[in-house]
Amino acid sequence: MDYDKLLTLSGELGYHLLLSGAEIYRVEESVHYLLDAYGVETGEVFAIPNCIIVSLTAPGQRAITWVRRVPGHGTDISKMEDLNALCRRLCAQRPDLDQATALLDGAVRDRPQSSPMVQLLAYFLITSTFCLFFGGTAADALCGGLCGLAVGLVIPPLTRMGTNLFFRTMAGGLFCGVTATLFTSLGLGEHLDLILTGAIMTQAPGLVVTNCIRDLMAGDVMSSLVKLAEGLLTGAGIALGTGVALGLARALWGVL
């Protein structure tokens, strides 16, 4: 048994699970299951949203450790499901480590991405639907959808540039606010508050807060605090960007 390869394989599996947005318990359990399947009873794993550490002790050898920092990431449910299925397959079949590594590489390489037009359509539908949900009119929903398009045109390029989370959400809130107040001042929208509420929902950290509570209930307090900080930072960025936009609207257009 090449324990270095096994350590790298299990660590990379956990790393890519974290990148897909998997919960901490899922990441740690998957790594443990994989190590147990290959006969390692001394494996340990520690994961938080931005780091994973895997360690094992080979028979007659000193403990070896694998560490990798996890960059900022979103949530990819499809990738998470594929990695979960791969973990179950590896645990059941236990192929040789070279084959298992090739299977992992295949699961994370060249994944299909939605086209920009599909992403923009999703932004439009999500924001317009939320606007209707909160009690807006059809005109408000149309304006909310257009605000969502503005966010969809701003956030992906900033993400590709590696811009930090706070600046991205602040920019998204700013464009939401400017677009919503512009449409309202032109008479296209009726309720500025409902348009804004629906438009910012694409950036709301709902999943982050949900995973924060779930990690806290599972006993992963450090991970929970990291996600709580991320949720608060996201909310602060949205509030600051939207507030600046409303201030500009009051000064320039007299909307408020």
mmCIF file of all heavy atoms in Angstrom, residues 177-187 253 255:
data_model
loop_
_atom_site.group_PDB
_atom_site.id
_atom_site.type_symbol
_atom_site.label_atom_id
_atom_site.label_comp_id
_atom_site.label_asym_id
_atom_site.label_seq_id
_atom_site.Cartn_x
_atom_site.Cartn_y
_atom_site.Cartn_z
ATOM 1 N N GLY A 177 -29.394 48.792 -6.376
ATOM 2 C CA GLY A 177 -30.017 50.024 -5.926
ATOM 3 C C GLY A 177 -30.116 51.071 -7.013
ATOM 4 O O GLY A 177 -31.161 51.721 -7.178
ATOM 5 N N VAL A 178 -29.038 51.253 -7.777
ATOM 6 C CA VAL A 178 -29.052 52.252 -8.846
ATOM 7 C C VAL A 178 -30.097 51.900 -9.904
ATOM 8 O O VAL A 178 -30.881 52.757 -10.344
ATOM 9 C CB VAL A 178 -27.651 52.364 -9.487
ATOM 10 C CG1 VAL A 178 -27.717 53.195 -10.763
ATOM 11 C CG2 VAL A 178 -26.670 52.986 -8.504
ATOM 12 N N THR A 179 -30.124 50.630 -10.305
ATOM 13 C CA THR A 179 -31.075 50.214 -11.339
ATOM 14 C C THR A 179 -32.517 50.343 -10.859
ATOM 15 O O THR A 179 -33.399 50.829 -11.591
ATOM 16 C CB THR A 179 -30.792 48.765 -11.768
ATOM 17 O OG1 THR A 179 -29.417 48.616 -12.089
ATOM 18 C CG2 THR A 179 -31.626 48.382 -12.982
ATOM 19 N N ALA A 180 -32.775 49.910 -9.625
ATOM 20 C CA ALA A 180 -34.139 49.971 -9.091
ATOM 21 C C ALA A 180 -34.626 51.404 -8.958
ATOM 22 O O ALA A 180 -35.769 51.725 -9.320
ATOM 23 C CB ALA A 180 -34.196 49.257 -7.741
ATOM 24 N N THR A 181 -33.777 52.289 -8.439
ATOM 25 C CA THR A 181 -34.206 53.686 -8.275
ATOM 26 C C THR A 181 -34.375 54.377 -9.630
ATOM 27 O O THR A 181 -35.262 55.221 -9.796
ATOM 28 C CB THR A 181 -33.178 54.463 -7.429
ATOM 29 O OG1 THR A 181 -31.858 54.265 -7.969
ATOM 30 C CG2 THR A 181 -33.205 53.987 -5.990
ATOM 31 N N LEU A 182 -33.553 53.992 -10.605
ATOM 32 C CA LEU A 182 -33.692 54.568 -11.945
ATOM 33 C C LEU A 182 -35.035 54.185 -12.563
ATOM 34 O O LEU A 182 -35.763 55.042 -13.095
ATOM 35 C CB LEU A 182 -32.543 54.107 -12.827
ATOM 36 C CG LEU A 182 -32.577 54.581 -14.287
ATOM 37 C CD1 LEU A 182 -32.536 56.107 -14.359
ATOM 38 C CD2 LEU A 182 -31.435 53.967 -15.086
ATOM 39 N N PHE A 183 -35.383 52.895 -12.465
ATOM 40 C CA PHE A 183 -36.662 52.453 -13.024
ATOM 41 C C PHE A 183 -37.844 53.098 -12.303
ATOM 42 O O PHE A 183 -38.845 53.460 -12.925
ATOM 43 C CB PHE A 183 -36.773 50.930 -12.940
ATOM 44 C CG PHE A 183 -35.895 50.214 -13.930
ATOM 45 C CD1 PHE A 183 -35.333 48.986 -13.603
ATOM 46 C CD2 PHE A 183 -35.632 50.753 -15.171
ATOM 47 C CE1 PHE A 183 -34.527 48.324 -14.503
ATOM 48 C CE2 PHE A 183 -34.826 50.101 -16.081
ATOM 49 C CZ PHE A 183 -34.263 48.876 -15.751
ATOM 50 N N THR A 184 -37.727 53.249 -10.991
ATOM 51 C CA THR A 184 -38.811 53.856 -10.220
ATOM 52 C C THR A 184 -38.975 55.333 -10.584
ATOM 53 O O THR A 184 -40.095 55.839 -10.716
ATOM 54 C CB THR A 184 -38.538 53.708 -8.714
ATOM 55 O OG1 THR A 184 -38.339 52.334 -8.401
ATOM 56 C CG2 THR A 184 -39.718 54.226 -7.904
ATOM 57 N N SER A 185 -37.847 56.013 -10.737
ATOM 58 C CA SER A 185 -37.924 57.440 -11.097
ATOM 59 C C SER A 185 -38.514 57.647 -12.484
ATOM 60 O O SER A 185 -39.136 58.681 -12.756
ATOM 61 C CB SER A 185 -36.532 58.069 -11.023
ATOM 62 O OG SER A 185 -35.674 57.511 -12.004
ATOM 63 N N LEU A 186 -38.340 56.657 -13.368
ATOM 64 C CA LEU A 186 -38.909 56.745 -14.717
ATOM 65 C C LEU A 186 -40.364 56.299 -14.760
ATOM 66 O O LEU A 186 -41.006 56.373 -15.820
ATOM 67 C CB LEU A 186 -38.079 55.890 -15.690
ATOM 68 C CG LEU A 186 -36.645 56.353 -15.948
ATOM 69 C CD1 LEU A 186 -35.914 55.350 -16.836
ATOM 70 C CD2 LEU A 186 -36.625 57.736 -16.580
ATOM 71 N N GLY A 187 -40.889 55.823 -13.644
ATOM 72 C CA GLY A 187 -42.274 55.388 -13.593
ATOM 73 C C GLY A 187 -42.509 53.963 -14.052
ATOM 74 O O GLY A 187 -43.668 53.544 -14.191
ATOM 75 N N TRP A 253 -31.812 62.222 -8.108
ATOM 76 C CA TRP A 253 -33.106 62.087 -8.773
ATOM 77 C C TRP A 253 -34.286 62.425 -7.878
ATOM 78 O O TRP A 253 -35.409 62.541 -8.344
ATOM 79 C CB TRP A 253 -33.280 60.647 -9.288
ATOM 80 C CG TRP A 253 -32.201 60.219 -10.223
ATOM 81 C CD1 TRP A 253 -31.607 60.979 -11.188
ATOM 82 C CD2 TRP A 253 -31.573 58.936 -10.282
ATOM 83 N NE1 TRP A 253 -30.659 60.251 -11.843
ATOM 84 C CE2 TRP A 253 -30.605 58.998 -11.324
ATOM 85 C CE3 TRP A 253 -31.729 57.738 -9.590
ATOM 86 C CZ2 TRP A 253 -29.796 57.922 -11.649
ATOM 87 C CZ3 TRP A 253 -30.936 56.655 -9.905
ATOM 88 C CH2 TRP A 253 -29.978 56.757 -10.928
ATOM 89 N N VAL A 255 -35.706 60.480 -5.683
ATOM 90 C CA VAL A 255 -36.666 59.397 -5.652
ATOM 91 C C VAL A 255 -37.207 59.182 -4.260
ATOM 92 O O VAL A 255 -38.382 58.882 -4.066
ATOM 93 C CB VAL A 255 -35.972 58.092 -6.168
ATOM 94 C CG1 VAL A 255 -36.888 56.894 -5.987
ATOM 95 C CG2 VAL A 255 -35.588 58.251 -7.615
#
